[in-house]
Each structure stands twice: as C-alpha cells, then as structure tokens.
Amino acid sequence: MYNSKGCGAEDDQNGSTKLHMDLTDAVNIMLWAGLCHDRSPGYALWHLYPPEMANILRQFFRKKGFDEGAGDFIHSQQIYVTSAMHESIYEEYGVKPYVVRQRPGEAVFIPAGWAHQVRDRCFIFENK
C-alpha cells in the first residue's frame, strides 16, 4: 500500500512520486482523492515512458547537467520531469510521455520497465 502526499495546485516542480522504474508490473488503484476548487474530485496525473525512452531521458538529463552522483537518473528517484522539461524533450527528441489522469475508483497498469512519475492534483483540505 502506498499513500501519496498532495502537491500544490500549481506546483510543477515536485511530484508525489518522482520519476522511477519498477522491475515488475504494477497496478495502482486510487481509492480516494480530495476536492478541486470547483468541488470535482482530485486526480493523479501520471506520465508514463516506454522502455525505449529510458536512454533518451538519461541523455536529456545528462545534457541538462543533472547530477549523476546518486546513480542512474531514473532509478535514483531524484527527478520530477516538469512541463518545461517535457516540452524540451519533445523539441529535442520528438517524443512525449503517455499521460493518464486517474480518478478515484480507477486503476492504472504500469508495465515492468516503464519509467513513470505521478503528481497529485487538486487536493484541497479545508478546516471547518
């Protein structure tokens, strides 16, 4: 079981789960989410990268000067790919991740070897 923390509505620098890759298939089921400003359910924003994109991501991170001291860029779970980085990767390499918006009650299947990251969206907790 994994409980994720919410991210700020406009926080594009951090995800609830930074970029990483699992060695086995996984299924993530969202049981609950807080509310968005419009009172609609929050959601998880997934970016999924097929295995053939892994070396492109590593090349991009190296070119942009990210620190390799923690080991492999993907396995170290130190990087969250921001919107600006997605745009740069597309401009330089012509590739985009698969994007999934997961709502409560939905499952996301992540195949082994697919790099992925998650950002919780719209989670607002009101004290009354």
Side-chain angles (χ1 to χ4, degrees), residues 49 52-66 73 81 84-97:
Y49 309 85
E52 58 271 16
M53 280 188 67
N55 285 333
I56 291 170
L57 290 169
R58 290 180 180 108
Q59 183 177 348
F60 174 81
F61 298 141
R62 191 171 292 111
K63 183 178 176 182
K64 297 299 181 186
F66 283 87
F73 292 118
V81 184
M85 292 165 69
H86 285 296
E87 289 177 24
S88 292
I89 293 168
Y90 180 71
E91 289 171 4
E92 294 178 36
Y93 301 96
V95 294
K96 293 181 179 183

PDB file of all heavy atoms in Angstrom, residues 49 52-66 73 81 84-97:
ATOM      1  N   TYR A  49       6.593   6.483 -19.509  1.00  0.00           N
ATOM      2  CA  TYR A  49       7.576   6.471 -20.583  1.00  0.00           C
ATOM      3  C   TYR A  49       7.921   5.027 -20.937  1.00  0.00           C
ATOM      4  O   TYR A  49       8.411   4.288 -20.080  1.00  0.00           O
ATOM      5  CB  TYR A  49       8.851   7.182 -20.151  1.00  0.00           C
ATOM      6  CG  TYR A  49       8.637   8.556 -19.571  1.00  0.00           C
ATOM      7  CD1 TYR A  49       8.330   8.726 -18.220  1.00  0.00           C
ATOM      8  CD2 TYR A  49       8.752   9.687 -20.355  1.00  0.00           C
ATOM      9  CE1 TYR A  49       8.145   9.988 -17.680  1.00  0.00           C
ATOM     10  CE2 TYR A  49       8.566  10.952 -19.825  1.00  0.00           C
ATOM     11  CZ  TYR A  49       8.266  11.090 -18.484  1.00  0.00           C
ATOM     12  OH  TYR A  49       8.083  12.338 -17.947  1.00  0.00           O
ATOM     13  N   GLU A  52      11.813   2.158 -24.431  1.00  0.00           N
ATOM     14  CA  GLU A  52      12.691   2.738 -25.454  1.00  0.00           C
ATOM     15  C   GLU A  52      12.980   4.228 -25.223  1.00  0.00           C
ATOM     16  O   GLU A  52      13.865   4.798 -25.853  1.00  0.00           O
ATOM     17  CB  GLU A  52      12.140   2.514 -26.865  1.00  0.00           C
ATOM     18  CG  GLU A  52      10.766   3.062 -27.110  1.00  0.00           C
ATOM     19  CD  GLU A  52       9.631   2.082 -26.789  1.00  0.00           C
ATOM     20  OE1 GLU A  52       9.853   1.070 -26.102  1.00  0.00           O
ATOM     21  OE2 GLU A  52       8.505   2.367 -27.230  1.00  0.00           O
ATOM     22  N   MET A  53      12.267   4.852 -24.308  1.00  0.00           N
ATOM     23  CA  MET A  53      12.519   6.258 -23.975  1.00  0.00           C
ATOM     24  C   MET A  53      13.520   6.423 -22.832  1.00  0.00           C
ATOM     25  O   MET A  53      14.010   7.525 -22.585  1.00  0.00           O
ATOM     26  CB  MET A  53      11.220   6.978 -23.597  1.00  0.00           C
ATOM     27  CG  MET A  53      10.391   7.407 -24.779  1.00  0.00           C
ATOM     28  SD  MET A  53       8.987   8.447 -24.295  1.00  0.00           S
ATOM     29  CE  MET A  53       9.803   9.921 -23.705  1.00  0.00           C
ATOM     30  N   ALA A  54      13.856   5.352 -22.134  1.00  0.00           N
ATOM     31  CA  ALA A  54      14.714   5.459 -20.954  1.00  0.00           C
ATOM     32  C   ALA A  54      16.059   6.102 -21.291  1.00  0.00           C
ATOM     33  O   ALA A  54      16.515   7.013 -20.594  1.00  0.00           O
ATOM     34  CB  ALA A  54      14.909   4.094 -20.303  1.00  0.00           C
ATOM     35  N   ASN A  55      16.713   5.654 -22.340  1.00  0.00           N
ATOM     36  CA  ASN A  55      18.023   6.221 -22.676  1.00  0.00           C
ATOM     37  C   ASN A  55      17.904   7.649 -23.200  1.00  0.00           C
ATOM     38  O   ASN A  55      18.818   8.453 -23.019  1.00  0.00           O
ATOM     39  CB  ASN A  55      18.767   5.324 -23.657  1.00  0.00           C
ATOM     40  CG  ASN A  55      19.319   4.091 -22.953  1.00  0.00           C
ATOM     41  OD1 ASN A  55      19.588   4.114 -21.755  1.00  0.00           O
ATOM     42  ND2 ASN A  55      19.467   3.013 -23.698  1.00  0.00           N
ATOM     43  N   ILE A  56      16.787   7.983 -23.836  1.00  0.00           N
ATOM     44  CA  ILE A  56      16.558   9.370 -24.260  1.00  0.00           C
ATOM     45  C   ILE A  56      16.449  10.258 -23.021  1.00  0.00           C
ATOM     46  O   ILE A  56      17.033  11.345 -22.973  1.00  0.00           O
ATOM     47  CB  ILE A  56      15.291   9.480 -25.136  1.00  0.00           C
ATOM     48  CG1 ILE A  56      15.525   8.788 -26.478  1.00  0.00           C
ATOM     49  CG2 ILE A  56      14.872  10.932 -25.333  1.00  0.00           C
ATOM     50  CD1 ILE A  56      14.278   8.633 -27.331  1.00  0.00           C
ATOM     51  N   LEU A  57      15.706   9.811 -22.012  1.00  0.00           N
ATOM     52  CA  LEU A  57      15.590  10.578 -20.770  1.00  0.00           C
ATOM     53  C   LEU A  57      16.955  10.746 -20.116  1.00  0.00           C
ATOM     54  O   LEU A  57      17.325  11.852 -19.703  1.00  0.00           O
ATOM     55  CB  LEU A  57      14.623   9.891 -19.805  1.00  0.00           C
ATOM     56  CG  LEU A  57      13.149   9.920 -20.190  1.00  0.00           C
ATOM     57  CD1 LEU A  57      12.347   8.974 -19.295  1.00  0.00           C
ATOM     58  CD2 LEU A  57      12.597  11.324 -20.121  1.00  0.00           C
ATOM     59  N   ARG A  58      17.722   9.658 -20.039  1.00  0.00           N
ATOM     60  CA  ARG A  58      19.054   9.741 -19.425  1.00  0.00           C
ATOM     61  C   ARG A  58      19.948  10.729 -20.189  1.00  0.00           C
ATOM     62  O   ARG A  58      20.657  11.526 -19.572  1.00  0.00           O
ATOM     63  CB  ARG A  58      19.691   8.362 -19.385  1.00  0.00           C
ATOM     64  CG  ARG A  58      19.033   7.420 -18.400  1.00  0.00           C
ATOM     65  CD  ARG A  58      19.705   6.053 -18.407  1.00  0.00           C
ATOM     66  NE  ARG A  58      19.056   5.174 -17.473  1.00  0.00           N
ATOM     67  CZ  ARG A  58      18.287   4.140 -17.824  1.00  0.00           C
ATOM     68  NH1 ARG A  58      18.074   3.866 -19.109  1.00  0.00           N
ATOM     69  NH2 ARG A  58      17.735   3.381 -16.905  1.00  0.00           N
ATOM     70  N   GLN A  59      19.901  10.670 -21.507  1.00  0.00           N
ATOM     71  CA  GLN A  59      20.692  11.578 -22.333  1.00  0.00           C
ATOM     72  C   GLN A  59      20.271  13.032 -22.088  1.00  0.00           C
ATOM     73  O   GLN A  59      21.111  13.918 -21.954  1.00  0.00           O
ATOM     74  CB  GLN A  59      20.516  11.209 -23.811  1.00  0.00           C
ATOM     75  CG  GLN A  59      21.345  12.026 -24.760  1.00  0.00           C
ATOM     76  CD  GLN A  59      21.164  11.558 -26.203  1.00  0.00           C
ATOM     77  OE1 GLN A  59      20.605  10.502 -26.480  1.00  0.00           O
ATOM     78  NE2 GLN A  59      21.655  12.351 -27.135  1.00  0.00           N
ATOM     79  N   PHE A  60      18.969  13.266 -22.013  1.00  0.00           N
ATOM     80  CA  PHE A  60      18.456  14.606 -21.758  1.00  0.00           C
ATOM     81  C   PHE A  60      18.932  15.127 -20.400  1.00  0.00           C
ATOM     82  O   PHE A  60      19.423  16.259 -20.288  1.00  0.00           O
ATOM     83  CB  PHE A  60      16.921  14.601 -21.819  1.00  0.00           C
ATOM     84  CG  PHE A  60      16.299  15.905 -21.432  1.00  0.00           C
ATOM     85  CD1 PHE A  60      16.210  16.951 -22.335  1.00  0.00           C
ATOM     86  CD2 PHE A  60      15.776  16.095 -20.160  1.00  0.00           C
ATOM     87  CE1 PHE A  60      15.646  18.166 -21.983  1.00  0.00           C
ATOM     88  CE2 PHE A  60      15.199  17.297 -19.796  1.00  0.00           C
ATOM     89  CZ  PHE A  60      15.136  18.342 -20.712  1.00  0.00           C
ATOM     90  N   PHE A  61      18.803  14.317 -19.359  1.00  0.00           N
ATOM     91  CA  PHE A  61      19.216  14.737 -18.017  1.00  0.00           C
ATOM     92  C   PHE A  61      20.713  15.040 -17.973  1.00  0.00           C
ATOM     93  O   PHE A  61      21.146  16.018 -17.369  1.00  0.00           O
ATOM     94  CB  PHE A  61      18.859  13.688 -16.961  1.00  0.00           C
ATOM     95  CG  PHE A  61      17.384  13.414 -16.832  1.00  0.00           C
ATOM     96  CD1 PHE A  61      16.919  12.134 -16.624  1.00  0.00           C
ATOM     97  CD2 PHE A  61      16.459  14.447 -16.912  1.00  0.00           C
ATOM     98  CE1 PHE A  61      15.560  11.871 -16.493  1.00  0.00           C
ATOM     99  CE2 PHE A  61      15.094  14.196 -16.786  1.00  0.00           C
ATOM    100  CZ  PHE A  61      14.653  12.906 -16.574  1.00  0.00           C
ATOM    101  N   ARG A  62      21.503  14.191 -18.615  1.00  0.00           N
ATOM    102  CA  ARG A  62      22.950  14.405 -18.652  1.00  0.00           C
ATOM    103  C   ARG A  62      23.270  15.710 -19.371  1.00  0.00           C
ATOM    104  O   ARG A  62      24.072  16.526 -18.896  1.00  0.00           O
ATOM    105  CB  ARG A  62      23.624  13.227 -19.354  1.00  0.00           C
ATOM    106  CG  ARG A  62      25.124  13.194 -19.228  1.00  0.00           C
ATOM    107  CD  ARG A  62      25.710  11.884 -19.764  1.00  0.00           C
ATOM    108  NE  ARG A  62      25.330  10.762 -18.903  1.00  0.00           N
ATOM    109  CZ  ARG A  62      24.477   9.773 -19.282  1.00  0.00           C
ATOM    110  NH1 ARG A  62      23.948   9.768 -20.481  1.00  0.00           N
ATOM    111  NH2 ARG A  62      24.183   8.806 -18.450  1.00  0.00           N
ATOM    112  N   LYS A  63      22.626  15.942 -20.515  1.00  0.00           N
ATOM    113  CA  LYS A  63      22.854  17.153 -21.311  1.00  0.00           C
ATOM    114  C   LYS A  63      22.479  18.412 -20.526  1.00  0.00           C
ATOM    115  O   LYS A  63      23.114  19.453 -20.665  1.00  0.00           O
ATOM    116  CB  LYS A  63      22.028  17.058 -22.599  1.00  0.00           C
ATOM    117  CG  LYS A  63      22.202  18.197 -23.556  1.00  0.00           C
ATOM    118  CD  LYS A  63      21.376  17.961 -24.814  1.00  0.00           C
ATOM    119  CE  LYS A  63      21.441  19.132 -25.753  1.00  0.00           C
ATOM    120  NZ  LYS A  63      20.597  18.911 -26.946  1.00  0.00           N
ATOM    121  N   LYS A  64      21.434  18.322 -19.701  1.00  0.00           N
ATOM    122  CA  LYS A  64      20.968  19.472 -18.921  1.00  0.00           C
ATOM    123  C   LYS A  64      21.745  19.656 -17.620  1.00  0.00           C
ATOM    124  O   LYS A  64      21.445  20.557 -16.840  1.00  0.00           O
ATOM    125  CB  LYS A  64      19.470  19.355 -18.622  1.00  0.00           C
ATOM    126  CG  LYS A  64      18.604  19.375 -19.871  1.00  0.00           C
ATOM    127  CD  LYS A  64      18.760  20.675 -20.643  1.00  0.00           C
ATOM    128  CE  LYS A  64      17.884  20.710 -21.874  1.00  0.00           C
ATOM    129  NZ  LYS A  64      18.112  21.876 -22.711  1.00  0.00           N
ATOM    130  N   GLY A  65      22.711  18.792 -17.357  1.00  0.00           N
ATOM    131  CA  GLY A  65      23.582  18.976 -16.204  1.00  0.00           C
ATOM    132  C   GLY A  65      23.076  18.437 -14.887  1.00  0.00           C
ATOM    133  O   GLY A  65      23.548  18.844 -13.827  1.00  0.00           O
ATOM    134  N   PHE A  66      22.138  17.518 -14.926  1.00  0.00           N
ATOM    135  CA  PHE A  66      21.674  16.918 -13.678  1.00  0.00           C
ATOM    136  C   PHE A  66      22.793  16.086 -13.068  1.00  0.00           C
ATOM    137  O   PHE A  66      23.605  15.501 -13.768  1.00  0.00           O
ATOM    138  CB  PHE A  66      20.429  16.048 -13.910  1.00  0.00           C
ATOM    139  CG  PHE A  66      19.172  16.836 -14.071  1.00  0.00           C
ATOM    140  CD1 PHE A  66      18.798  17.315 -15.315  1.00  0.00           C
ATOM    141  CD2 PHE A  66      18.357  17.110 -12.983  1.00  0.00           C
ATOM    142  CE1 PHE A  66      17.633  18.058 -15.479  1.00  0.00           C
ATOM    143  CE2 PHE A  66      17.202  17.850 -13.128  1.00  0.00           C
ATOM    144  CZ  PHE A  66      16.836  18.327 -14.376  1.00  0.00           C
ATOM    145  N   PHE A  73      19.848   8.123 -13.323  1.00  0.00           N
ATOM    146  CA  PHE A  73      18.867   9.206 -13.242  1.00  0.00           C
ATOM    147  C   PHE A  73      17.457   8.696 -12.931  1.00  0.00           C
ATOM    148  O   PHE A  73      16.720   9.332 -12.190  1.00  0.00           O
ATOM    149  CB  PHE A  73      18.810   9.981 -14.562  1.00  0.00           C
ATOM    150  CG  PHE A  73      20.041  10.778 -14.864  1.00  0.00           C
ATOM    151  CD1 PHE A  73      20.793  10.496 -15.983  1.00  0.00           C
ATOM    152  CD2 PHE A  73      20.429  11.819 -14.041  1.00  0.00           C
ATOM    153  CE1 PHE A  73      21.917  11.246 -16.285  1.00  0.00           C
ATOM    154  CE2 PHE A  73      21.554  12.573 -14.327  1.00  0.00           C
ATOM    155  CZ  PHE A  73      22.307  12.282 -15.460  1.00  0.00           C
ATOM    156  N   VAL A  81      10.020  15.268 -13.794  1.00  0.00           N
ATOM    157  CA  VAL A  81      10.057  15.922 -15.101  1.00  0.00           C
ATOM    158  C   VAL A  81       8.935  16.961 -15.161  1.00  0.00           C
ATOM    159  O   VAL A  81       7.757  16.622 -15.126  1.00  0.00           O
ATOM    160  CB  VAL A  81       9.921  14.901 -16.259  1.00  0.00           C
ATOM    161  CG1 VAL A  81      10.059  15.594 -17.602  1.00  0.00           C
ATOM    162  CG2 VAL A  81      10.941  13.784 -16.111  1.00  0.00           C
ATOM    163  N   ALA A  84       8.023  22.161 -18.486  1.00  0.00           N
ATOM    164  CA  ALA A  84       9.059  22.758 -19.336  1.00  0.00           C
ATOM    165  C   ALA A  84      10.034  21.694 -19.838  1.00  0.00           C
ATOM    166  O   ALA A  84      10.456  21.729 -21.002  1.00  0.00           O
ATOM    167  CB  ALA A  84       9.806  23.847 -18.567  1.00  0.00           C
ATOM    168  N   MET A  85      10.365  20.746 -18.981  1.00  0.00           N
ATOM    169  CA  MET A  85      11.262  19.661 -19.398  1.00  0.00           C
ATOM    170  C   MET A  85      10.592  18.784 -20.442  1.00  0.00           C
ATOM    171  O   MET A  85      11.236  18.364 -21.409  1.00  0.00           O
ATOM    172  CB  MET A  85      11.705  18.855 -18.177  1.00  0.00           C
ATOM    173  CG  MET A  85      12.616  19.647 -17.252  1.00  0.00           C
ATOM    174  SD  MET A  85      12.801  18.902 -15.616  1.00  0.00           S
ATOM    175  CE  MET A  85      13.727  17.439 -15.983  1.00  0.00           C
ATOM    176  N   HIS A  86       9.294  18.497 -20.272  1.00  0.00           N
ATOM    177  CA  HIS A  86       8.566  17.720 -21.285  1.00  0.00           C
ATOM    178  C   HIS A  86       8.641  18.413 -22.644  1.00  0.00           C
ATOM    179  O   HIS A  86       8.856  17.763 -23.668  1.00  0.00           O
ATOM    180  CB  HIS A  86       7.091  17.537 -20.898  1.00  0.00           C
ATOM    181  CG  HIS A  86       6.857  16.535 -19.819  1.00  0.00           C
ATOM    182  ND1 HIS A  86       7.129  15.201 -19.945  1.00  0.00           N
ATOM    183  CD2 HIS A  86       6.353  16.694 -18.575  1.00  0.00           C
ATOM    184  CE1 HIS A  86       6.813  14.579 -18.842  1.00  0.00           C
ATOM    185  NE2 HIS A  86       6.342  15.459 -17.985  1.00  0.00           N
ATOM    186  N   GLU A  87       8.442  19.737 -22.639  1.00  0.00           N
ATOM    187  CA  GLU A  87       8.499  20.499 -23.890  1.00  0.00           C
ATOM    188  C   GLU A  87       9.889  20.409 -24.523  1.00  0.00           C
ATOM    189  O   GLU A  87      10.011  20.221 -25.730  1.00  0.00           O
ATOM    190  CB  GLU A  87       8.124  21.959 -23.636  1.00  0.00           C
ATOM    191  CG  GLU A  87       6.658  22.147 -23.336  1.00  0.00           C
ATOM    192  CD  GLU A  87       6.302  23.598 -23.006  1.00  0.00           C
ATOM    193  OE1 GLU A  87       7.038  24.512 -23.437  1.00  0.00           O
ATOM    194  OE2 GLU A  87       5.287  23.795 -22.317  1.00  0.00           O
ATOM    195  N   SER A  88      10.935  20.530 -23.708  1.00  0.00           N
ATOM    196  CA  SER A  88      12.303  20.446 -24.222  1.00  0.00           C
ATOM    197  C   SER A  88      12.604  19.065 -24.786  1.00  0.00           C
ATOM    198  O   SER A  88      13.230  18.947 -25.842  1.00  0.00           O
ATOM    199  CB  SER A  88      13.318  20.766 -23.112  1.00  0.00           C
ATOM    200  OG  SER A  88      13.232  22.109 -22.735  1.00  0.00           O
ATOM    201  N   ILE A  89      12.166  18.026 -24.090  1.00  0.00           N
ATOM    202  CA  ILE A  89      12.397  16.659 -24.576  1.00  0.00           C
ATOM    203  C   ILE A  89      11.699  16.463 -25.924  1.00  0.00           C
ATOM    204  O   ILE A  89      12.258  15.874 -26.851  1.00  0.00           O
ATOM    205  CB  ILE A  89      11.927  15.610 -23.540  1.00  0.00           C
ATOM    206  CG1 ILE A  89      12.802  15.674 -22.286  1.00  0.00           C
ATOM    207  CG2 ILE A  89      11.923  14.207 -24.139  1.00  0.00           C
ATOM    208  CD1 ILE A  89      12.266  14.908 -21.100  1.00  0.00           C
ATOM    209  N   TYR A  90      10.485  16.994 -26.041  1.00  0.00           N
ATOM    210  CA  TYR A  90       9.761  16.881 -27.309  1.00  0.00           C
ATOM    211  C   TYR A  90      10.475  17.650 -28.421  1.00  0.00           C
ATOM    212  O   TYR A  90      10.645  17.143 -29.532  1.00  0.00           O
ATOM    213  CB  TYR A  90       8.326  17.370 -27.160  1.00  0.00           C
ATOM    214  CG  TYR A  90       7.554  17.279 -28.452  1.00  0.00           C
ATOM    215  CD1 TYR A  90       7.173  16.038 -28.963  1.00  0.00           C
ATOM    216  CD2 TYR A  90       7.227  18.418 -29.172  1.00  0.00           C
ATOM    217  CE1 TYR A  90       6.487  15.940 -30.159  1.00  0.00           C
ATOM    218  CE2 TYR A  90       6.544  18.334 -30.367  1.00  0.00           C
ATOM    219  CZ  TYR A  90       6.184  17.087 -30.864  1.00  0.00           C
ATOM    220  OH  TYR A  90       5.509  16.996 -32.048  1.00  0.00           O
ATOM    221  N   GLU A  91      10.906  18.880 -28.119  1.00  0.00           N
ATOM    222  CA  GLU A  91      11.591  19.690 -29.131  1.00  0.00           C
ATOM    223  C   GLU A  91      12.909  19.064 -29.574  1.00  0.00           C
ATOM    224  O   GLU A  91      13.252  19.086 -30.753  1.00  0.00           O
ATOM    225  CB  GLU A  91      11.848  21.098 -28.588  1.00  0.00           C
ATOM    226  CG  GLU A  91      10.587  21.928 -28.453  1.00  0.00           C
ATOM    227  CD  GLU A  91      10.807  23.242 -27.717  1.00  0.00           C
ATOM    228  OE1 GLU A  91      11.968  23.570 -27.360  1.00  0.00           O
ATOM    229  OE2 GLU A  91       9.799  23.944 -27.476  1.00  0.00           O
ATOM    230  N   GLU A  92      13.655  18.495 -28.636  1.00  0.00           N
ATOM    231  CA  GLU A  92      14.974  17.944 -28.943  1.00  0.00           C
ATOM    232  C   GLU A  92      14.940  16.524 -29.500  1.00  0.00           C
ATOM    233  O   GLU A  92      15.776  16.159 -30.325  1.00  0.00           O
ATOM    234  CB  GLU A  92      15.855  17.985 -27.695  1.00  0.00           C
ATOM    235  CG  GLU A  92      16.178  19.400 -27.244  1.00  0.00           C
ATOM    236  CD  GLU A  92      17.006  19.444 -25.978  1.00  0.00           C
ATOM    237  OE1 GLU A  92      17.876  18.568 -25.805  1.00  0.00           O
ATOM    238  OE2 GLU A  92      16.772  20.356 -25.160  1.00  0.00           O
ATOM    239  N   TYR A  93      13.979  15.711 -29.050  1.00  0.00           N
ATOM    240  CA  TYR A  93      13.973  14.294 -29.405  1.00  0.00           C
ATOM    241  C   TYR A  93      12.681  13.832 -30.085  1.00  0.00           C
ATOM    242  O   TYR A  93      12.589  12.698 -30.534  1.00  0.00           O
ATOM    243  CB  TYR A  93      14.233  13.425 -28.172  1.00  0.00           C
ATOM    244  CG  TYR A  93      15.555  13.744 -27.505  1.00  0.00           C
ATOM    245  CD1 TYR A  93      15.613  14.609 -26.420  1.00  0.00           C
ATOM    246  CD2 TYR A  93      16.740  13.193 -27.977  1.00  0.00           C
ATOM    247  CE1 TYR A  93      16.820  14.911 -25.815  1.00  0.00           C
ATOM    248  CE2 TYR A  93      17.947  13.491 -27.386  1.00  0.00           C
ATOM    249  CZ  TYR A  93      17.991  14.357 -26.299  1.00  0.00           C
ATOM    250  OH  TYR A  93      19.178  14.660 -25.703  1.00  0.00           O
ATOM    251  N   GLY A  94      11.667  14.693 -30.104  1.00  0.00           N
ATOM    252  CA  GLY A  94      10.414  14.351 -30.771  1.00  0.00           C
ATOM    253  C   GLY A  94       9.582  13.298 -30.072  1.00  0.00           C
ATOM    254  O   GLY A  94       8.790  12.614 -30.711  1.00  0.00           O
ATOM    255  N   VAL A  95       9.751  13.160 -28.763  1.00  0.00           N
ATOM    256  CA  VAL A  95       8.990  12.147 -28.020  1.00  0.00           C
ATOM    257  C   VAL A  95       8.222  12.783 -26.876  1.00  0.00           C
ATOM    258  O   VAL A  95       8.639  13.795 -26.310  1.00  0.00           O
ATOM    259  CB  VAL A  95       9.907  11.025 -27.490  1.00  0.00           C
ATOM    260  CG1 VAL A  95      10.500  10.230 -28.632  1.00  0.00           C
ATOM    261  CG2 VAL A  95      10.995  11.577 -26.595  1.00  0.00           C
ATOM    262  N   LYS A  96       7.100  12.177 -26.546  1.00  0.00           N
ATOM    263  CA  LYS A  96       6.253  12.608 -25.439  1.00  0.00           C
ATOM    264  C   LYS A  96       5.885  11.389 -24.600  1.00  0.00           C
ATOM    265  O   LYS A  96       5.767  10.277 -25.122  1.00  0.00           O
ATOM    266  CB  LYS A  96       4.949  13.229 -25.957  1.00  0.00           C
ATOM    267  CG  LYS A  96       5.104  14.528 -26.691  1.00  0.00           C
ATOM    268  CD  LYS A  96       3.742  15.052 -27.117  1.00  0.00           C
ATOM    269  CE  LYS A  96       3.857  16.371 -27.831  1.00  0.00           C
ATOM    270  NZ  LYS A  96       2.552  16.921 -28.189  1.00  0.00           N
ATOM    271  N   PRO A  97       5.630  11.613 -23.307  1.00  0.00           N
ATOM    272  CA  PRO A  97       5.165  10.504 -22.474  1.00  0.00           C
ATOM    273  C   PRO A  97       3.683  10.241 -22.718  1.00  0.00           C
ATOM    274  O   PRO A  97       2.975  11.077 -23.280  1.00  0.00           O
ATOM    275  CB  PRO A  97       5.388  11.025 -21.060  1.00  0.00           C
ATOM    276  CG  PRO A  97       5.182  12.501 -21.190  1.00  0.00           C
ATOM    277  CD  PRO A  97       5.761  12.856 -22.544  1.00  0.00           C
TER     278      PRO A  97
END
